[in-house]
Amino acid sequence: PGSFAGVLAVSVHSIGMLAKLYSEAIENMDHGPSESVVSAGGNRWDVLGFATLPQLIPEFLSFTLYRFELAVRSASILGIVGAGGIGTPMIFAINARSWSRVGIILLGIVVTVTIIDFISGRLRKRLV
């Protein structure tokens, strides 16, 4: 299939999941601050800037970071099944029985995912 199919699959899935998560965040939003801004004489832009966005931006960024982590993890799996990504060199090394190269690639994947997970966790703690 190639790398284009892998990118397309991950992106379509991520966009769909992000749309679902974003819509749930909007549905579960507290409407108290919006009503307070309106009762104080604010217009639609005031409601958006002072009540809606401060509630939604941290959740949206948290969901986006989460999906990015999953996309990075999926890249190695997609490469193994032939859709490009870091898994492609790994499957070639496995087929060639080059176990030292497989170990280096796996170590690189684990380190990269761990660093992204750590940074993403720290950012989410600050946001939420």
Side-chain angles (χ1 to χ4, degrees), residues 106-119:
L106 281 175
L107 183 65
I109 291 171
V110 169
V111 168
T112 303
V113 168
T114 303
I115 289 171
I116 289 172
D117 191 34
F118 177 74
I119 292 170

Side-chain angles (χ1 to χ4, degrees), residues 80-100:
I80 291 174
V81 298
I86 190 66
T88 303
M90 188 168 70
I91 198 69
F92 289 151
I94 289 172
N95 289 337
R97 307 281 193 258
S98 177
W99 302 117
S100 60

Side-chain angles (χ1 to χ4, degrees), residues 32-52:
S34 300
E35 293 171 359
S36 298
V37 171
V38 169
S39 67
N43 58 21
R44 288 183 187 213
W45 293 107
D46 294 333
V47 171
L48 181 69
F50 295 117
T52 305

Side-chain angles (χ1 to χ4, degrees), residues 10-11 19 29 46 57 63-64 72 77 83 93 116 125:
V10 171
S11 62
M29 184 178 64
D46 294 333
I57 286 178
F63 292 147
T64 304
V72 169
I77 295 168
I116 289 172
K125 279 184 183 177

Side-chain angles (χ1 to χ4, degrees), residues 21-85:
L21 292 170
Y22 287 175
S23 66
E24 286 180 4
I26 292 169
E27 288 176 2
N28 295 331
M29 184 178 64
D30 183 21
H31 294 289
S34 300
E35 293 171 359
S36 298
V37 171
V38 169
S39 67
N43 58 21
R44 288 183 187 213
W45 293 107
D46 294 333
V47 171
L48 181 69
F50 295 117
T52 305
L53 289 179
Q55 289 184 54
L56 293 179
I57 286 178
E59 288 188 54
F60 283 6
L61 290 176
S62 178
F63 292 147
T64 304
L65 288 170
Y66 174 68
R67 288 305 308 171
F68 176 70
E69 288 177 35
L70 289 178
V72 169
R73 290 183 181 125
S74 298
S76 58
I77 295 168
L78 286 173
I80 291 174
V81 298

